[in-house]
Amino acid sequence: MIRHSLISTAIITALSSFSAHAALVTGQVFDNNKQPLSYADVHVHGKAQSIKTDENGRFSINIDANSQLHISKNNFVDARVQVTETSSALNITLVPTSVESVVVYASALHKNSLEMISPVSVLSGDELRNKAKPTLGETLKGLPGVNASYFGPVSSSPIIRGLDGPRVKITQNGLDSSDASRIGPDHATSNDSLAAEQIEVLRGPATLLYGSGAIGGVVNVVDNRIPTDNIEQLTGAVEYSHDTVSNANTYAAKLETGHNNFNFHFDGTKRTGDDYQTPRFNLPEEEHEDHEGHEGHDEEEHETATSVKNTFIDSQTVNFGTSYVGEHLTLGVSYGRIETDYGIPAHSHEHGHDHEHEHDHDEGEEEAVYARVEQDRWQGLMSYALHNNWIETINLRLGYTDYRHAEIEDGAIGTIFSNETTEARLNIEHKLGNWHGMAGYHFSESDYDADGEEAFTPASKTTTHALFILEEKQFGNVTLELGARIEDYNIDSNVGAAAHDHEDDHTDEHANEITPYSKSFTNLSASAGAIWQYTPGQSIALSVSHSERAPLSAELLSNGVHIATGTYELGLGYAIEDGEIHFEPENIKQETSTNIDFGFRRFSGDFGYTVNFFYNDIANFYYQQNTGLMFDEEHGLEAAEPGHDDGMAVYQFVSKDAKLYGIEFDAHYQLNSNAMVKVFGDSTTAKLADDEGYLPRIPANKLGSEFQYNISDWQFSLTGTHYFEQRDITAYETATDGYTLFDAQANYQLSVGPVDTQFYINVDNITDELGFVHSSFIKDEAPLPGRNFRIGLRGYF
């Protein structure tokens, strides 16, 4: 009650003290050659008001006292200008840049991508639409420092600098996606890139704003389902595309309109696709050992396949939103619905699915295991902007998500995973002296449940309360940023013995015992960073952060068969003694990361680059280790023996110190007004401390180049990416060979009446290269897709 009273008092005081005086500010925007810049955006910081300069670069806009103007235009560095009621006849010069400058919503302080201290990549506009795939992992994997977990193309999550799962926070408009993708690699993310305005990737710890789950980075999907600017007329977009590699069809549409400060948004997508085709590859031995036929072949010959079975998708999403955007107040609400069925490759309860006879696909569909995902998501937004006051903006975001993931086996539901999440984030943006910052409160409650044969993690409720602060100050050409967060993290669960379907009725007398379990952690995080613009268009950035993360319920309490990965999983809270599993959750320590980031950037002129070095020292790193034991229903736990493959390998979460370090870079050179060449790459090394070996499933290094050429209404690009072999592996992994992928795009702009239309054709994997993803749990059973032609049409009105 005291906390709520303090917040209420602060809000009332702020609302009662702002100045409502308005003044007209005029000015003109130029480039560095003193030529006027037309159609540049001029925005009043903290308010919805935004205009564009006229053909002579002139503008006039109403402001409150002591405001800040934000001026932006594509291919120029943003400018921020402090103005007062007496300001007039402003002359503002924008510096050209060789890369696009985009405001990063996940930054919280309205920074653009060139001003960020932490490394960030943003996909937006046509670049995002051209690269959009059914999953976030496949959409983003070409970015430096980013790879994909790849459980087939329909379930692929981002990996940032070798970290994935619970260490990479997936958010939608700053609020957690609240699906089950952090629990298992076969669980797809619920974010759709087709409806996104932009996708932001923050590399390195971002725990201050987004919680302990962001120890590796944040992927924020930004859409306009709650409009924050007034929409004056009906606008929209439609798109259709066809992919040949999986016979997939995708339809997407968006409509927006507004009147008298009220705004409305709708978007929807529909995607259907069959099993995807691959270059011919050898099936793993266990996949075909029971097959008949192929008599007379010697032992060295293998069964082969040219597709990955059970990788279909049938998905539809709809989002509705409305808002009121006033001079100071913005209120909005949105609702989204997802319904998706997708196949889960290599996911069966018996070996011997028929990969050999591709024409038998229809007969085998009834036995295939597939996922049915349903999600209802509500979001609310309240924002109040003040001026001439130490409090600039008060923002409150609310979210409620009801997520359900059912796995269908032989036409019946085998296992249901559900997750109800409530989240609230209150941000108060302020200015104290020369310090500009954000302070806030973050609440999250996740009620997770699993029921069925694959319920390897018990039901649990996870609750977090956090206070955070982020402050920045400019010292000449240097901007300093400091931040801290304190988070109370609590897990409540009822832990029982593992549920195994023994054939006989004589189960252990303790099998149904339930033990109430509750554990609280206090996670502390802090960061300090600076960026030095040592010359116009060039900067150096350095940041140091300390982050603490408590284990997820899956990492702490797992105890059961995880069929998707073909393993028996045990959490940190268990111990194995004399072939028996005991629940002994003592001395659970938090995962603690100390991360250093050092980057060089150049974004002016014809040549630009970004180079980042990182070093991440993690104490008590949680990962799954092979215990050397096998589990089967008849005998329980027993030592693994050569040739004995009836059971599942037992993997247990352990915590050991680890070090991750590497480099990521991208560089570009504008050859002339029509042509540009880019080079990009990354390298990550992840190993246990004290020379205990490497961490499992770390992505291979990559190096790539892209050539872009524009002529008249045509846009062309050709990209080649080489993924190196990965031989830095654990004792229970196999090495992965390298491969090279070539992709091409061609876009043609045309006008059809009032509709701005774009026809495009993409050719992925031009050479039909066979590639296996080292970070995939099922890499040998699910290679990357073969040659794919994607043909599409977009229209805007």
Side-chain angles (χ1 to χ4, degrees):
M1 291 299 294
I2 294 176
R3 180 170 62 241
H4 293 302
S5 298
L6 290 174
I7 294 174
S8 300
T9 301
I11 295 174
I12 292 171
T13 301
L15 296 183
S16 62
S17 62
F18 76 90
S19 170
H21 299 294
L24 185 68
V25 171
T26 62
Q28 192 171 12
V29 181
F30 301 92
D31 63 17
N32 59 336
N33 294 319
K34 299 302 180 183
Q35 296 300 308
L37 286 177
S38 58
Y39 307 112
D41 289 307
V42 181
H43 179 76
V44 179
H45 169 67
K47 296 174 61 178
Q49 190 174 4
S50 179
I51 63 169
K52 291 184 180 295
T53 58
D54 63 17
E55 293 181 354
N56 296 313
R58 300 185 183 276
F59 68 91
S60 60
I61 191 168
N62 286 310
I63 65 159
D64 291 331
N66 298 330
S67 298
Q68 183 188 81
L69 296 184
H70 182 193
I71 302 94
S72 61
K73 184 175 174 64
N74 285 346
N75 302 317
F76 288 86
V77 180
D78 292 10
R80 299 177 188 274
V81 180
Q82 298 296 136
V83 292
T84 67
E85 292 174 305
T86 60
S87 299
S88 63
L90 299 171
N91 289 325
I92 302 167
T93 300
L94 297 186
V95 178
T97 175
S98 55
V99 294
E100 185 177 6
S101 174
V102 182
V103 174
V104 181
Y105 292 91
S107 71
L109 295 178
H110 318 289
K111 293 187 176 183
N112 63 50
S113 52
L114 305 181
E115 299 170 324
M116 292 284 291
I117 294 176
S118 299
V120 63
S121 295
V122 180
L123 285 181
S124 61
D126 286 339
E127 183 184 17
L128 171 59
R129 284 181 279 271
N130 289 334
K131 294 182 177 180
K133 298 290 193 298
T135 62
L136 277 181
E138 295 306 289
T139 299
L140 302 174
K141 70 178 184 180
L143 297 176
V146 183
N147 288 276
S149 61
Y150 199 74
F151 208 91
V154 293
S155 180
S156 183
S157 295
I159 299 174
I160 300 179
R161 295 176 170 179
L163 300 176
D164 63 347
R167 298 179 185 89
V168 174
K169 195 82 165 180
I170 309 293
T171 63
Q172 185 262 325
N173 294 330
L175 295 180
D176 198 297
S177 295
S178 304
D179 50 38
S181 63
R182 308 299 86 194
I183 295 174
D186 58 319
H187 296 180
T189 61
S190 59
N191 303 90
D192 196 309
S193 55
L194 279 176
E197 300 287 328
Q198 65 186 49
I199 301 177
E200 306 163 349
V201 180
L202 278 65
R203 304 181 190 87
T207 55
L208 297 180
L209 295 176
Y210 295 98
S212 58
I215 202 170
V218 169
V219 175
N220 186 38
V221 180
V222 180
D223 57 40
N224 200 40
R225 65 177 67 179
I226 300 181
T228 53
D229 289 320
N230 280 317
I231 304 170
E232 302 298 337
Q233 60 184 0
L234 177 66
T235 63
V238 293
E239 180 174 0
Y240 166 77
S241 67
H242 176 78
D243 290 79
T244 60
V245 76
S246 59
N247 193 33
N249 295 295
T250 302
Y251 309 83
K254 180 176 74 172
L255 290 172
E256 293 183 336
T257 189
H259 182 67
N260 288 342
N261 300 105
F262 287 94
N263 309 281
F264 305 92
H265 170 95
F266 162 81
D267 69 73
T269 61
K270 169 71 175 177
R271 180 186 291 113
T272 59
D274 300 329
D275 296 348
Y276 73 92
Q277 305 298 306
T278 70
R280 186 170 296 278
F281 68 101
N282 293 331
L283 291 166
E285 291 293 335
E286 61 268 19
E287 291 297 315
H288 60 80
E289 61 185 0
D290 296 331
H291 283 268
E292 299 178 359
H294 294 275
E295 295 181 2
H297 288 199
D298 60 48
E299 294 181 357
E300 294 185 357
E301 290 197 23
H302 293 272
E303 300 252 9
T304 62
T306 57
S307 68
V308 178
K309 289 211 168 185
N310 203 28
T311 53
F312 73 91
I313 187 170
D314 186 352
S315 174
Q316 43 273 330
T317 68
V318 292
N319 296 296
F320 300 91
T322 184
S323 67
Y324 169 82
V325 180
E327 184 71 10
H328 294 273
L329 178 67
T330 298
L331 292 172
V333 65
S334 70
Y335 167 74
R337 172 71 176 177
I338 298 173
E339 295 180 357
T340 301
D341 288 357
Y342 67 89
I344 305 177
H347 190 304
S348 76
H349 294 267
E350 296 179 0
H351 295 300
H353 281 296
D354 190 352
H355 289 263
E356 173 193 359
H357 304 294
E358 295 180 9
H359 62 272
D360 289 338
H361 173 70
D362 292 337
E363 296 177 9
E365 280 184 349
E366 294 183 357
E367 299 180 0
V369 179
Y370 67 94
R372 173 164 294 164
V373 173
E374 297 175 346
Q375 184 187 81
D376 295 288
R377 183 176 179 89
W378 292 89
Q379 283 191 326
L381 169 67
M382 188 283 288
S383 178
Y384 197 91
L386 303 96
H387 293 276
N388 197 25
N389 190 284
W390 69 278
I391 292 182
E392 296 182 314
T393 310
I394 301 169
N395 283 290
L396 176 64
R397 282 195 177 271
L398 302 170
Y400 171 76
T401 304
D402 186 0
Y403 171 90
R404 185 174 182 268
H405 173 115
E407 298 196 349
I408 314 299
E409 306 168 12
D410 296 330
I413 295 177
T415 307
I416 296 178
F417 302 89
S418 62
N419 191 21
E420 286 188 44
T421 302
T422 304
E423 187 174 9
R425 183 188 298 276
L426 175 67
N427 296 338
I428 299 177
E429 189 174 352
H430 56 267
K431 189 170 185 179
L432 297 173
N434 293 324
W435 288 89
H436 175 225
M438 177 83 67
Y441 166 71
H442 184 200
F443 167 79
S444 176
E445 182 179 83
S446 176
D447 193 351
Y448 167 81
D449 194 12
D451 183 30
E453 182 178 352
E454 201 177 332
F456 58 94
T457 302
S460 62
K461 179 178 287 188
T462 304
T463 306
T464 63
H465 298 270
L467 296 173
F468 60 86
I469 187 168
L470 185 65
E471 302 289 332
E472 69 172 6
K473 183 179 179 180
Q474 192 161 353
F475 300 87
N477 294 327
V478 177
T479 301
L480 176 67
E481 185 177 283
L482 303 174
R485 177 187 179 102
I486 182 169
E487 176 183 272
D488 178 68
Y489 181 98
N490 185 77
I491 296 179
D492 288 297
S493 182
N494 290 317
V495 180
H500 313 309
D501 296 328
H502 295 286
E503 295 181 0
D504 58 80
D505 296 328
H506 303 290
T507 56
D508 189 282
E509 60 180 357
H510 302 292
N512 295 320
E513 287 184 359
I514 298 296
T515 302
Y517 177 75
S518 180
K519 179 68 175 177
S520 292
F521 299 86
T522 299
N523 299 318
L524 298 173
S525 300
S527 71
I531 185 168
W532 176 31
Q533 303 279 354
Y534 61 92
T535 191
Q538 299 186 55
S539 63
I540 297 175
L542 173 67
S543 64
V544 180
S545 60
H546 169 89
S547 306
E548 294 181 348
R549 184 177 80 87
L552 291 185
S553 59
E555 296 171 309
L556 182 61
L557 304 175
S558 292
N559 183 8
V561 173
H562 191 177
I563 297 173
T565 60
T567 61
Y568 188 101
E569 294 190 5
L570 274 180
L572 290 162
Y574 290 90
I576 301 175
E577 297 178 2
D578 300 326
E580 295 184 356
I581 297 171
H582 303 277
F583 185 58
E584 299 177 1
E586 289 82 22
N587 301 320
I588 303 297
K589 297 180 179 180
Q590 289 141 297
E591 189 176 85
T592 304
S593 164
T594 302
N595 187 83
I596 301 174
D597 252 296
F598 189 47
F600 300 87
R601 304 169 193 172
R602 175 191 171 101
F603 45 84
S604 62
D606 293 331
F607 175 62
Y609 56 80
T610 299
V611 182
N612 300 313
F613 299 90
F614 67 92
Y615 180 84
N616 200 348
D617 191 335
I618 306 179
N620 305 312
F621 184 85
Y622 309 143
Y623 74 102
Q624 288 179 300
Q625 186 180 66
N626 193 325
T627 63
L629 299 174
M630 300 288 289
F631 171 84
D632 65 41
E633 297 290 347
E634 183 177 355
H635 301 101
L637 296 180
E638 56 184 10
E641 298 179 1
H644 179 69
D645 55 4
D646 293 334
M648 291 186 172
V650 178
Y651 281 73
Q652 182 170 19
F653 281 97
V654 297
S655 61
K656 294 185 178 181
D657 295 347
K659 301 180 186 298
L660 295 89
Y661 52 89
I663 181 175
E664 58 206 16
F665 67 92
D666 65 85
H668 56 272
Y669 181 69
Q670 190 78 41
L671 300 174
N672 53 49
S673 59
N674 296 327
M676 175 184 285
V677 63
K678 297 182 178 181
V679 179
F680 58 90
D682 57 53
S683 173
T684 299
T685 300
K687 58 174 62 176
L688 295 171
D690 301 324
D691 295 324
E692 290 191 45
Y694 293 95
L695 291 174
R697 289 180 299 279
I698 297 301
N701 301 333
K702 68 173 180 279
L703 177 65
S705 180
E706 180 179 356
F707 177 72
Q708 299 178 354
Y709 186 77
N710 302 328
I711 181 170
S712 185
D713 293 325
W714 284 94
Q715 298 175 324
F716 301 94
S717 71
L718 175 65
T719 305
T721 307
H722 178 70
Y723 293 83
F724 292 86
E725 64 179 9
Q726 179 58 289
R727 302 196 178 279
D728 295 339
I729 58 177
T730 64
Y732 44 88
E733 284 185 290
T734 59
T736 303
D737 292 334
Y739 55 92
T740 303
L741 302 179
F742 291 96
D743 306 319
Q745 296 178 354
N747 296 355
Y748 179 69
Q749 297 285 150
L750 64 156
S751 295
V752 181
V755 180
D756 181 15
T757 307
Q758 184 180 84
F759 169 78
Y760 62 91
I761 178 169
N762 298 351
V763 187
D764 301 325
N765 194 1
I766 297 173
T767 59
D768 203 32
E769 177 88 348
L770 179 62
F772 295 91
V773 181
H774 183 76
S775 52
S776 172
F777 275 88
I778 56 170
K779 67 167 185 175
D780 295 327
E781 300 163 83
L784 289 169
R787 185 184 300 110
N788 176 47
F789 292 88
R790 183 185 183 195
I791 303 171
L793 192 67
R794 304 187 188 105
Y796 306 90
F797 58 88

